[in-house]
Amino acid sequence: MASPSSAASCEALAGLKLPDTVIKSAVTVPAGGAAGLKLSPDTPAFCRVVASVRAAPDSDVGVEVWLPVTGWRGVFHGNGNGGFGGVLTAGYGAMETGVRRGYASAIQDTGTAPATPLDGDAMIGHPRKWKDWGRLSAHVMTVTGKAIAQAYYGAKPDRAFYTGCSTGGQQGLIEALYYPEDYDGVLVGAPVINRTWGHAAVLWNDLAANLRPGGHLSDAKLRSLNDAVLAKCGGRGSGLATDPFLGDPRACLFDPAELLCKTGGSASCLTQAEVATVRAFYSGPTDRAGRAQFFGWPKGSEAPGHFGWDFLQSRFKGQPPFVSLFKWVFGPDWNWAGFEVDRDMPKVDAALDASVNDATRGDLRKFRARGGKLIIYHGWADSLVPPDQSIAFYDRVAKDAGGVGQAQSFARLFMAPGMAHCGGGGGPDSFNGANGVVRQPPAATPQYDLFTALSAWVEKGISPSQVIATRFADPAPAQTVALQRPLCAYPAKAWYRGSGDTNQAGNFVCAVGKPSPSPRSSRRPGRGAD
């Protein structure tokens, strides 16, 4: 593809005229980054453009685009944001990865500044910003970013890929559902599909833990609870008793009352109030009759850590996480401690459904018809966005497509045992290849990461049936591999073959049901069994 003749053409983009757009800056960043922008030493020089798009009153979507000075491969790469957005820096890791691949990479701030990822109070009274956040900002970024890339390189991008997780995952689904011409390949993780009820679940958890005296679980109790779940269910479904995570939480039948303190209390048992908290977390929001209204958190997600149950019980600026969404409806002085599912959620959905819940509607027919490819991944230990929600979404896609076989021709779902929200947790969590440095373990397969797999699917027609996920024992630069396991295209799961090192991916097979034992399978699972 064409490249600019000199770096000076980057600065010339400051005068670029685009509809409803102001170019705030256009500067060349040298290889390895610059002051205030710490990047990997192998990041090539790029043109950094920051813009503001104001397509309607009270709308202001910030967009940033990084364009490799040389070696552009003709690809545009869009990225999602997180939480309530409001900042551009959230996407820099993924943009750096894109630039190193030779892609023109972009991010948007969801149009919500001065909001921040955890605080959306600034959007109270600004319904246009809700719409930009819920539906429009990723499309604005894509149109603007492609136009900037065309102006810089003198040619339109040949292909376009999208990556994002959480809110960014929701934005990717919106792109595929409503703007099918924007991207050829979309990779999304832990997508917030039903935004209003997702926030209701987080508020439900906070109140369950904090309104009742003695309901809050300490980190020590959360660890004991998680240990008890793993001890009871570790060998259920496709999991192994030796795994520090559950292979499929749906196979786990566990009642927290099994840990009820007999006398007194300790870190290894639960009081009646704590048992009630755990049950509320597992069930998710219920109505007055006790009927589940949404999804709860899966067994095996209890441990404190990366957006874990400890985060769901914590307060941010004196209020539960992400409660701002309700204040958009009920006002800044709303008494969130009095939240009632039956009374309040119909009002929330009536006010916000059309603005922030578009991922619950629409279909992928046009995206499929033009050859688009969609990959969704979700951690089975996610305690911020319920993983069952992604399965329900994919099941709907399969039904609309005429069955799982038809759906897999353009859309695939990968469930990651033990992974928390977008990463972390007790399972192997390095596999998406889109957020930050692509870490390659020894003997990596061509489809080691989902970003590479998506590219191969779009460009070469190679559909991904599995991807190898890695858990590293230590951070960069050592990156010693502790565990590798295949992630399988849903509804298949990874099953142990019966012999061999359980930390090596090659000793597992992807299958919908448990495969018949092999002649070697009488050997007990363990490390180095071969």
Side-chain angles (χ1 to χ4, degrees), residues 189-505:
V192 185
I193 296 169
N194 189 316
R195 173 62 69 172
T196 55
W197 278 92
H199 284 240
V202 173
L203 178 55
W204 168 270
N205 296 150
D206 176 274
L207 299 182
N210 294 310
L211 277 191
R212 288 189 303 269
H216 193 285
L217 291 108
S218 67
D219 285 2
K221 296 230 177 186
L222 290 174
R223 281 189 284 269
S224 293
L225 172 63
N226 184 246
D227 288 344
V229 170
L230 296 181
K232 179 167 185 176
C233 299
R236 305 290 175 86
S238 60
L240 297 176
T242 53
D243 286 338
F245 53 87
L246 298 184
D248 185 347
R250 295 172 300 181
C252 180
L253 299 177
F254 173 82
D255 184 349
E258 296 175 25
L259 297 182
L260 186 64
C261 298
K262 301 297 189 294
T263 58
S266 71
S268 60
C269 68
L270 301 177
T271 66
Q272 287 283 8
E274 291 166 342
V275 168
T277 297
V278 176
R279 285 175 171 164
F281 273 57
Y282 286 153
S283 73
T286 64
D287 63 14
R288 294 189 188 98
R291 293 183 294 259
Q293 301 298 295
F294 191 56
F295 303 97
W297 311 123
K299 309 295 194 302
S301 67
E302 306 86 2
H306 185 75
F307 288 118
W309 284 26
D310 54 329
F311 172 79
L312 295 173
Q313 297 181 108
S314 65
R315 294 282 167 82
F316 179 76
K317 293 185 177 180
Q319 63 185 23
F322 308 117
V323 77
S324 299
L325 178 142
F326 296 92
K327 294 158 80 172
W328 302 348
V329 178
F330 299 115
D333 299 323
W334 180 59
N335 176 26
W336 43 262
F339 172 68
E340 291 185 14
V341 171
D342 302 70
R343 180 195 65 203
D344 296 333
M345 285 310 296
K347 298 176 183 177
V348 171
D349 278 337
L352 296 179
D353 186 63
S355 295
V356 304
N357 265 346
D358 278 339
T360 64
R361 293 179 289 271
D363 62 63
L364 296 170
R365 285 180 295 181
K366 292 182 179 179
F367 183 73
R368 176 187 184 184
R370 66 175 297 269
K373 308 300 181 187
L374 169 67
I375 294 179
I376 304 170
Y377 64 91
H378 208 139
W380 260 130
D382 193 332
S383 56
L384 191 59
V385 177
D388 282 305
Q389 192 175 197
S390 286
I391 291 178
F393 176 86
Y394 190 82
D395 286 344
R396 176 165 68 87
V397 170
K399 182 179 179 181
D400 290 345
V404 171
Q406 293 295 316
Q408 287 191 337
S409 68
F410 68 96
R412 302 215 169 185
L413 169 65
F414 293 84
M415 301 301 295
M419 189 177 83
H421 185 63
C422 298
D429 66 337
S430 183
F431 60 85
N432 73 34
N435 55 347
V437 177
V438 181
R439 301 186 293 175
Q440 295 288 349
T445 68
Q447 291 189 1
Y448 162 69
D449 68 72
L450 286 178
F451 200 175
T452 299
L454 180 65
S455 300
W457 199 7
V458 170
E459 297 171 350
K460 302 176 183 178
I462 303 173
S463 56
S465 60
Q466 69 175 49
V467 65
I468 305 301
T470 301
R471 180 173 181 81
F472 292 94
D474 41 35
Q479 296 181 353
T480 305
V481 174
L483 168 68
Q484 288 191 310
R485 192 67 57 86
L487 305 184
C488 309
Y490 175 83
K493 296 178 284 188
W495 299 86
Y496 183 55
R497 293 180 183 273
S499 64
D501 189 343
T502 58
N503 290 330
Q504 293 183 5

Side-chain angles (χ1 to χ4, degrees), residues 53-67:
V53 182
R54 300 174 180 175
D58 205 27
S59 176
D60 186 356
V61 178
V63 176
E64 186 165 335
V65 189
W66 296 1
L67 307 118

Side-chain angles (χ1 to χ4, degrees), residues 11-310:
E11 281 65 25
L13 290 178
L16 181 64
K17 303 299 182 184
L18 298 173
D20 306 315
T21 302
V22 174
I23 305 296
K24 292 185 173 181
S25 63
V27 296
T28 300
V29 176
L37 191 63
K38 296 182 179 180
L39 303 173
S40 173
D42 62 344
T43 302
F46 60 88
C47 175
R48 181 185 186 186
V49 180
V50 180
S52 171
V53 182
R54 300 174 180 175
D58 205 27
S59 176
D60 186 356
V61 178
V63 176
E64 186 165 335
V65 189
W66 296 1
L67 307 118
V69 172
T70 60
W72 182 51
R73 296 178 54 198
V75 175
F76 175 79
H77 170 218
N79 294 280
N81 213 303
F84 291 115
V87 297
L88 291 168
T89 54
Y92 283 2
M95 292 173 73
E96 181 182 356
T97 300
V99 167
R100 289 207 312 275
R101 290 176 180 264
Y103 298 171
S105 195
I107 185 65
Q108 37 75 32
D109 67 357
T110 75
T112 59
T116 63
L118 293 179
D119 186 1
D121 280 7
M123 289 194 285
I124 297 172
H126 297 275
R128 171 63 195 208
K129 291 185 178 297
W130 309 340
K131 190 72 173 179
D132 285 340
W133 176 67
R135 168 76 180 262
L136 301 175
S137 58
H139 178 61
V140 168
M141 167 195 70
T142 305
V143 172
T144 305
K146 286 183 177 181
I148 291 172
Q150 181 177 357
Y152 186 55
Y153 296 115
K156 293 182 179 180
D158 291 330
R159 298 173 309 288
F161 297 106
Y162 176 93
T163 59
C165 195
S166 193
T167 292
Q170 175 195 18
Q171 292 169 334
L173 291 185
I174 292 293
E175 283 293 294
L177 290 165
Y178 296 96
Y179 307 102
E181 299 294 329
D182 280 359
Y183 292 97
D184 303 290
V186 172
L187 171 62
V188 297
V192 185
I193 296 169
N194 189 316
R195 173 62 69 172
T196 55
W197 278 92
H199 284 240
V202 173
L203 178 55
W204 168 270
N205 296 150
D206 176 274
L207 299 182
N210 294 310
L211 277 191
R212 288 189 303 269
H216 193 285
L217 291 108
S218 67
D219 285 2
K221 296 230 177 186
L222 290 174
R223 281 189 284 269
S224 293
L225 172 63
N226 184 246
D227 288 344
V229 170
L230 296 181
K232 179 167 185 176
C233 299
R236 305 290 175 86
S238 60
L240 297 176
T242 53
D243 286 338
F245 53 87
L246 298 184
D248 185 347
R250 295 172 300 181
C252 180
L253 299 177
F254 173 82
D255 184 349
E258 296 175 25
L259 297 182
L260 186 64
C261 298
K262 301 297 189 294
T263 58
S266 71
S268 60
C269 68
L270 301 177
T271 66
Q272 287 283 8
E274 291 166 342
V275 168
T277 297
V278 176
R279 285 175 171 164
F281 273 57
Y282 286 153
S283 73
T286 64
D287 63 14
R288 294 189 188 98
R291 293 183 294 259
Q293 301 298 295
F294 191 56
F295 303 97
W297 311 123
K299 309 295 194 302
S301 67
E302 306 86 2
H306 185 75
F307 288 118
W309 284 26
D310 54 329

